[in-house]
Amino acid sequence: MTNQEIYDLMARFDASGLQTLKLSQGDLKIELGKAAPAAVPLAPAAAALPAVPAMPAVEDGAEKKPVISAPLVGTFYAAPDPKQPPFVMAGDRVKKGQTVCLLEAMKTMIEIPAPCECVIEEVLKANGELAAFGEALMRYTPC
């Protein structure tokens, strides 16, 4: 595991609702923990990543357009394989829950679904580019 992968793991853990994390990979063992807030119950592990990424809006001239944002730090992939076409392109109409891209984090591929039936207006990241937590990946117009 590289230093960058460890830093990415720490950032993802810090942004999550998890209170503890233990990872063992061969001889490497990492344990992360947070002080639990007094009045807030611990979140279950399944709640660490939202099923549908948060949908903030970005300025597009005078109007704000909704975006599909990265639910974690990772590498953006527009297609399931370099030899295959992208999941979606600008102008494509997609159904709610349809995979629009992948994010790779810690050698794990996470499918990013469309939040609603919509038209993809613009893909904002290049294939293989690093995406930060909460960064806009695609701009869309709901149908």
Side-chain angles (χ1 to χ4, degrees):
M1 179 176 269
T2 67
N3 284 344
Q4 185 59 47
E5 290 173 325
I6 293 171
Y7 295 142
D8 290 345
L9 175 66
M10 291 169 56
R12 183 174 171 195
F13 171 76
D14 192 45
S16 76
L18 295 175
Q19 296 301 314
T20 60
L21 174 73
K22 293 181 184 180
L23 173 71
S24 296
Q25 206 175 39
D27 293 335
L28 176 69
K29 294 183 188 326
I30 296 174
E31 187 170 338
L32 302 173
K34 296 180 196 174
V40 179
L42 296 177
L49 290 176
V52 177
M55 302 302 147
V58 293
E59 298 273 337
D60 184 26
E63 72 181 275
K64 291 186 176 192
K65 295 278 188 169
V67 295
I68 299 171
S69 60
L72 52 90
V73 175
T75 305
F76 173 85
Y77 291 108
D81 183 274
K83 296 175 185 166
Q84 293 184 358
F87 288 106
V88 296
M89 296 185 344
D92 286 354
R93 186 180 183 121
V94 296
K95 296 179 180 176
K96 180 178 180 174
Q98 179 180 336
T99 300
V100 295
C101 65
L102 298 173
L103 282 180
E104 178 188 11
M106 303 292 297
K107 300 192 188 309
T108 302
M109 293 294 190
I110 292 98
E111 293 182 355
I112 307 302
C116 60
E117 189 170 326
C118 59
V119 175
I120 302 298
E121 295 294 326
E122 183 180 7
V123 178
L124 303 170
K125 299 298 280 180
N127 198 46
E129 190 176 1
L130 185 63
F133 174 76
E135 187 174 6
L137 304 174
M138 296 180 186
R139 187 169 46 95
Y140 69 91
T141 302
C143 295

